[in-house]
Structures are given as structure tokens and as C-alpha cells.
Amino acid sequence: MVHKNRMNRLAAVCLAAAIASVAVPGAAAQAAVTPRVDLRVLVVDDGGSSVEAITAELRDTGVPYTRVDLASGSRPVVNAAFLADTVDGRPRAKFQSVVLPNENPFGAGSAEMAALTAYETAYGIRQVDAYTWAHPGVGLEYTDNGGYSGTLDGTQAAVTAAGKAGPFGYLGGQVAFEDNSPLIPESYGYMAKPRPGYTSYLDAPVGSGRASLVGEYAHDGRSELVVTFGYNQYQQQFRLLARGIVEWMTQGIHLGQERNYFAVHVDDVFAPDARWNKELNCTPGDYACAGGEGQESTIRMTAADAVYAAQWQTSKNFKLDMLFNGGAGEEWKAENGGVDALTAQLVADRAKYRWMNHTYTHPFLGCVQDTTTVPWTCTKNGAGAINWMSRAEISAQIRDNNNWAASKGITTDRTELVTGEHSGLKTNPQQAQDNPNLAGALADNGVKWAGSDNSREPAQRAVGAALTVPRHPMNVYYNTGTNAEMADEYNWIYTSRADGGSGICEDNPATSTCLPAPLDAASGYLDHIVPAEARTAMRHVLNNDPRPHYVHQSNLAEDRTLYPVLNQVLDTYRTLYAPSAPIVNQSMKDTGVEFQRRAAWNAAVAANQVTAYRIGKVVTVKAPSGVVAPVTAPTGTKKQLLLGTADFGTAYAGSRSTWTAPELLQSAVTLNTP
């Protein structure tokens, strides 16, 4: 007991000293000078997944942060000088909020924790306890008093009335904890009853009552957001709460912004796609399908499929992007009696879709391929140089498709292009560089945004004067028209050789896991593949990821395999989120611009070229010339113009946000918050 009291007295002395060192000097000075608070987050990292998840949210949404690695022997000491100073005679708080692994990662009696506590009190800075246990020190009862501790897989949690009125108002209400495998525990945590000073934001049923999982603990002039379950950055329960955690800690004013994006590109429209052969376990017509000669079969939408697509769009309030090959459609028409009801129907409904150039006849635009070997190789001339498709040929593929669309009254943005199979771009290992003629052909046709495959190239890059836009491939295969074909090809790829599969999963254990048993041909697609693919797509949607997803026209034909996946994504999303946070379904050009802006912003932040702070209700943001800043602020915020003000940003998820830059004759962005 003596030892404990001595430690308490030591902590009190440290706290008093720390408060004296960070508080604004003198009561009169404090009243006269409003402190400056920099728009940057302090992250104290213990290497755990919960802090890592919050750090990923900050990084991926453009919020500047400083990370202190607790495991590093060369880390800075968190003291008064580290946390605050004076700039131009004004007290400055260097961080607008603090993320800790738990309520005190420095240990009992720590001078660093005392300094943080004093700092938070002096400047009104909020603290997030990324993951801690339920106990009175964080405003909760112990779990043996009407609470619970243990595995949380499948727990049906809900946002409380206070959570909806506060930082989680963008959610629909339900937050279900993932339970993807009955064999693997995925979440562990504590649910407990609040004590005085604690406001629950997320709770779940325990016995005949409810207990908290996330809440705000206000005490001693400080506020902590207390999270009592573990998580990682990919789990849906965290993804749903991530936005609210940042909004709470920054009090709704921060650099960076977040949206939930989902766009779906349907490739090969008007063209037929080759069909998977269940006996050969390959696709006849593909050079790598031994024995497939003479067994070719194709999948192509019908007019009825086009009617259904338009009706589906209306019912789901979601527009598809149609990536078309006009010349391939003309070839099909010529080979089938000169009649094409599909094209007639889609052209009649042209205003209902977004359209994008996918080249006229869908040729391979890279090197000239030698397909007599598996895998194919690039042919070479007598001097040993690679033979490439010419600039004129590539340019004609782009130009002719644009002209075909114009002749049908189809409106396109000619700055956008996705080549067939993303060809022309480098394709490792066979083609290690872009076709050197590609950039010129893009320039010839005014193309500024070229679709690329995210599974090969997840980052945006330049192709001459154009920039790539990475696209997510969906696991709904181009060469299948029925649910049974999907299940069969999936089994071939994802089952072991002993189960009749290809063994690809066995040979690549780092990137693929074998199914425990083959899927049922009749039910496997809807029961297994659809939920899995919907979860993957939803993870992208909830991750501030604007990359479009792509599928093929074959997936809108026959069994119309795409719709069950899209229905699950859209229906689930609209139950998880309030109407204030709709899915953003934007054009590829807009996604390209978003990536371009993010790259410039991240580079400026990394180079310490951004200055941003608030003084009272006024926010100031300065960035290098030409760099636009992502900023989020409360509803009612006004942007200062040279003369007068204007409403700031666009409404999303209960706040206002946008990419913004100084107005004419201004050197900084100035916002007046309510």
C-alpha cells in the first residue's frame, strides 16, 4: 500500500509539472490569445493491429500524422516540448488529436503520459484508446458485472442513439462483426456497462440487457474514445466505424476526405466472349486450350438481356459503364445474317448507360504474339528487336470505335480508354514494357486516362501524357455464361489435384487457398462464390478506394451471373449506411483525377510542404502551388473568398468535404467553421 501511494503521489507531481509546462502562460494571456492547433494527428504505435488500422485510415484518406514507434530506441520522448510550442507569439498545439494503443501505453506514473494528459487538458485535444479492456479506469464496469469478454464473431452490434446523434450518424444502425470461418476466431473483446461520465456509441446485447463496445469517456477535463475490441484494418466492423473514429478525434475538422466508391465496367459490349469447356478444362479459341480446335463456343448478350440490364439499373438506382467494341459487333452481325437485335436495343437505351471506348475490334495492342508456345512470347525481327503493333494500327482502333459510337448517337468521353485485355501496357513476364507506340497513339486521339489491371499494377502511372486508372477484376469469369460453368471453372482453379482440380492453389499457397472440397455445380456459385466476391467488393467500397471493378458482357447473358453479386453489394451497403452516405459511382476520368490529386497531396505532406491549423473557428490551409488539398469540415462551414464567403465543399456522411485550393489572389485556403 505504501508503494502504491508513493506511485500515486509521484504521478500527481509529474502531472502538475507537465500541466505547468504546456498550459498557456497566465490566465490573462490565455483569455487574450487563442491557441493555434495544427491539423495533424499524433499516433503512438505499439505494433498492434488496432493502431495499425487507424493509421491506415489516416494514411488512405489523406490525414497527416506523426507516428511514434514505442519499440524504437531512437523514438522522440513525448514531453511538453514535443507536444506544444509558440509560433509568432501564439501558443501552438502540434497535434489536433492523439491515438494511443490503450489508455496508458507508457506505464503507471509515466512522465510521458502525464505530459499527454496535461496537453490534452490544456488544448482540448481528444484521445483514442485503440483497444483496451473494460474497467473503471476507462469509464466501464468490469465485465463480471453484467458484461462479457470473449470471442465476438457474429455479434450483432448497433449504433446507439448517442452514436447516431454524434460521430456515427452516417451509419444505418447495425454493425455486424465478421464471422467468415467457424474454425477461426476472428474477433475478441469486452462488452461492459457504462459508469458515470461514459457515453456509449456502439453496444450489443448481453443477457437481458446491452453493453458497450465503443464509447466516449469524459473525465478530468479530457475526452477519450474507448474501444474494447480488437480489429484489423480489413475487418468490416472497423471499416464501418473508421470514419466516425476520425471525425470524433478531430472534432469534425481535418485534412483528408473519404467516400465510398463503387463503379462497374462491363467490358466487351457488342462482342462475343469465348466459353469455358468443362470437359477440356480450358477455353476453346484460347491459344492455351489444347484440343479445343473445332469446339469453340461463344457467349453474347441478347436483346432480352439488354432490356433486363436497363430495368435492373432502374430498380437499383445504379448505372453500369458499357465498354464497347463496335467493330466486333459489326463482325458478329455480318456472320449472323446481318441482324443484331442486341445492338439495336442497347443503342435505343444508350442514354441509360455510361459508355467507354474499348477499341474497335479488341485486338492485342502490344507486341506481335507467338502463340505456338505456352505461355505466348513476343516475336522478334531479324535484328532481335521486338515486333510491335504500330502507332497507326493502335490509333485506328481507338479512332474507329469513337466514330462508330458517334454514328449511333452514343456519347463518350474521348479522354477515356480501356484497351482489350489492357493490352499495349506492359504484361509481365512476356512483355516487360509498354508498347513504345502506345503513348503516341493515345496522344493522337486525346486519351488522357487509360484503364489498367489493378492485379498487375495497383498504382497510377504515366503512359506518355496519359495516366493509368487501375481497375479491380471481379471473380466472375469472362468465359462463363451460367452458374454451373462458373462453379466448374472455380473448382478447376481452387481445388487440389486429388479433388480433380488443376492444383494451382497447391502450387501457389502464398496467394491461393484450396477449397476443402469441390463446390456443388448446381448451388456452388450462389452459395459460395457470390458471397465471397461480394465481401471482396464491399471491402473495396468501404476502403475509400475509387478503383472501378470490371466484368464482361457475358456476365449479363444467359444466367446473368453478375447480378447476384451486385445485388448483394448494393443491398448490404444500403442497410449499413444512412442515406447521407450514398455510394459514389463516378466516371473513370473522375477516378483518374482523384488518384492524380492524391499522389500530389501525399507527396506534399511527406515533404512537409503543407501547413494547416485552426485558430478558434478559423481554419487555414497552405499547400504548394498547384496542389489541391482534401479538407473535411462541419456542415455550415464557409470558404473565405476575396469578397464575401461561399458554402464550403459538398455534403457527404453528415459533413462537408472537397478538394480545395486558394481563390484568385489568395495564398491560402481560409474556412470559417460554425
Side-chain angles (χ1 to χ4, degrees):
M1 183 65 69
V2 174
H3 175 70
K4 179 179 178 181
N5 287 339
R6 185 183 302 128
M7 290 302 294
N8 287 343
R9 285 197 298 273
L10 176 61
V13 170
C14 289
L15 176 59
I19 289 176
S21 64
V22 302
V24 181
Q30 207 165 14
V33 181
T34 303
R36 161 179 157 172
V37 179
D38 283 3
L39 302 188
R40 174 173 284 269
V41 176
L42 173 61
V43 177
V44 178
D45 192 353
D46 67 343
S49 65
S50 298
V51 173
E52 180 185 20
I54 296 175
T55 304
E57 172 69 9
L58 299 174
R59 180 187 65 242
D60 295 343
T61 58
V63 180
Y65 62 92
T66 294
R67 175 177 171 268
V68 174
D69 181 2
L70 288 176
S72 172
S74 59
R75 73 170 178 85
V77 176
V78 178
N79 56 21
F82 177 78
L83 296 167
D85 60 8
T86 300
V87 175
D88 297 331
R90 185 185 299 276
R92 175 177 72 148
K94 297 181 183 179
F95 309 102
Q96 68 178 134
S97 54
V98 178
V99 177
L100 301 182
N102 52 62
E103 69 279 8
N104 182 5
F106 300 105
S110 163
E112 288 185 292
M113 193 65 223
L116 264 178
T117 298
Y119 172 74
E120 292 170 10
T121 304
Y123 292 100
I125 303 301
R126 290 179 169 182
Q127 171 183 311
V128 174
D129 304 336
Y131 173 37
T132 189
W133 62 294
H135 62 286
V138 292
L140 292 166
E141 298 287 354
Y142 294 111
T143 55
D144 58 6
N145 182 15
Y148 166 83
S149 62
T151 302
L152 298 173
D153 299 9
T155 295
Q156 298 295 314
V159 180
T160 66
K164 289 181 179 179
F168 302 108
Y170 59 90
L171 292 175
Q174 299 302 307
V175 177
F177 280 62
E178 288 187 355
D179 187 13
N180 297 321
S181 171
L183 305 176
I184 303 172
E186 297 164 46
S187 297
Y188 186 93
Y190 306 83
M191 297 189 286
K193 290 183 176 180
R195 291 166 63 93
Y198 183 101
T199 302
S200 181
Y201 290 149
L202 182 76
D203 64 15
V206 176
S208 59
R210 300 186 71 84
S212 184
L213 286 155
V214 179
E216 179 177 348
Y217 181 38
H219 64 103
D220 304 318
R222 300 167 57 221
S223 293
E224 299 175 52
L225 189 72
V226 179
V227 184
T228 55
F229 64 90
Y231 47 90
N232 63 51
Q233 62 181 298
Y234 306 106
Q235 289 179 306
Q236 183 169 289
Q237 57 266 29
F238 170 72
R239 295 269 23 114
L240 293 172
L241 299 171
R243 170 191 291 274
I245 292 172
V246 173
E247 291 300 297
W248 180 89
M249 75 165 84
T250 61
Q251 301 175 61
I253 302 170
H254 60 85
L255 299 175
Q257 67 167 348
E258 184 172 15
R259 296 287 190 272
N260 293 335
Y261 301 93
F262 190 50
V264 178
H265 293 180
V266 181
D267 291 6
D268 303 351
V269 172
F270 303 125
D273 285 304
R275 187 188 303 273
W276 172 258
N277 185 296
K278 293 190 286 187
E279 284 69 42
L280 295 173
N281 289 316
C282 59
T283 307
D286 186 328
Y287 77 96
C289 188
E293 299 79 5
Q295 299 193 51
E296 294 85 0
S297 177
T298 58
I299 309 159
R300 190 175 189 260
M301 293 172 66
T302 65
D305 294 325
V307 170
Y308 184 89
Q311 293 171 341
W312 178 87
Q313 284 195 152
T314 300
S315 70
K316 293 298 180 183
N317 190 29
F318 187 85
K319 184 173 288 191
L320 298 169
D321 289 90
M322 296 299 197
L323 278 64
F324 64 96
N325 308 104
E330 293 296 332
E331 290 174 352
W332 187 93
K333 180 179 178 181
E335 294 166 1
N336 288 271
V339 177
D340 186 1
L342 166 65
T343 296
Q345 186 65 51
L346 285 174
V347 169
D349 291 338
R350 58 191 176 275
K352 298 180 180 179
Y353 306 100
R354 281 198 302 247
W355 294 89
M356 197 185 313
N357 193 341
H358 196 42
T359 71
Y360 193 55
T361 58
H362 201 286
F364 188 83
L365 304 185
C367 65
V368 177
Q369 295 172 298
D370 177 1
T371 58
T372 62
T373 61
V374 179
W376 58 266
T377 57
C378 292
T379 64
K380 297 181 179 180
N381 62 22
I386 293 174
N387 294 313
W388 299 101
M389 177 177 273
S390 70
R391 177 172 174 171
E393 290 173 297
I394 298 172
S395 190
Q397 280 289 325
I398 301 169
R399 180 188 65 246
D400 292 351
N401 211 37
N402 280 329
N403 292 341
W404 183 91
S407 74
K408 302 294 184 183
I410 293 174
T411 300
T412 62
D413 184 336
R414 295 194 177 206
T415 67
E416 300 176 323
L417 173 73
V418 177
T419 61
E421 300 179 61
H422 306 102
S423 60
L425 299 176
K426 62 183 178 181
T427 306
N428 288 325
Q430 300 103 311
Q431 183 189 310
Q433 66 180 98
D434 296 340
N435 183 338
N437 299 317
L438 177 63
L442 298 181
D444 292 342
N445 291 275
V447 175
K448 297 179 180 179
W449 311 103
S452 61
D453 188 335
N454 184 75
S455 65
R456 299 177 190 166
E457 295 188 82
Q460 185 177 64
R461 66 176 179 88
V463 182
L467 292 171
T468 61
V469 180
R471 307 192 302 159
H472 286 297
M474 294 190 84
N475 225 10
V476 184
Y477 301 140
Y478 84 96
N479 55 352
T480 61
T482 68
N483 295 349
E485 288 171 347
M486 264 296 307
D488 185 82
E489 185 171 359
Y490 197 90
N491 281 339
W492 174 248
I493 296 171
Y494 291 107
T495 57
S496 65
R497 293 181 180 87
D499 284 327
S502 62
I504 292 173
C505 54
E506 295 168 292
D507 297 340
N508 300 276
T511 58
S512 179
T513 302
C514 287
L515 292 168
L519 302 178
D520 180 82
S523 62
Y525 178 65
L526 294 178
D527 291 349
H528 179 90
I529 301 172
V530 166
E533 186 53 31
R535 279 195 302 271
T536 298
M538 183 65 77
R539 189 174 296 125
H540 299 152
V541 172
L542 304 188
N543 201 35
N544 195 42
D545 184 349
R547 294 172 179 83
H549 292 71
Y550 73 92
V551 293
H552 296 80
Q553 64 82 32
S554 51
N555 306 132
L556 305 186
E558 299 183 8
D559 281 355
R560 300 169 180 165
T561 52
L562 177 64
Y563 296 112
V565 178
L566 298 189
N567 289 341
Q568 188 162 329
V569 172
L570 295 173
D571 294 348
T572 300
Y573 182 89
R574 288 163 181 167
T575 63
L576 293 174
Y577 281 84
S580 66
I583 278 179
V584 176
N585 177 8
Q586 66 185 15
S587 69
M588 191 174 81
K589 172 185 175 180
D590 287 343
T591 292
V593 170
E594 175 75 15
F595 274 122
Q596 186 179 31
R597 287 173 168 174
R598 288 187 188 185
W601 173 250
N602 291 338
V605 169
N608 292 316
Q609 295 174 328
V610 173
T611 301
Y613 53 87
R614 61 177 171 85
I615 300 175
K617 295 182 177 181
V618 179
V619 175
T620 302
V621 181
K622 299 178 183 178
S625 177
V627 175
V628 287
V631 183
T632 299
T635 300
T637 296
K638 301 288 186 178
K639 183 178 183 181
Q640 187 66 49
L641 308 179
L642 198 60
L643 296 174
T645 61
D647 289 340
F648 168 72
T650 56
Y652 193 81
S655 61
R656 307 279 296 188
S657 57
T658 193
W659 291 93
T660 188
E663 300 298 322
L664 186 66
L665 302 179
Q666 293 180 338
S667 61
V669 173
T670 302
L671 304 179
N672 302 310
T673 63

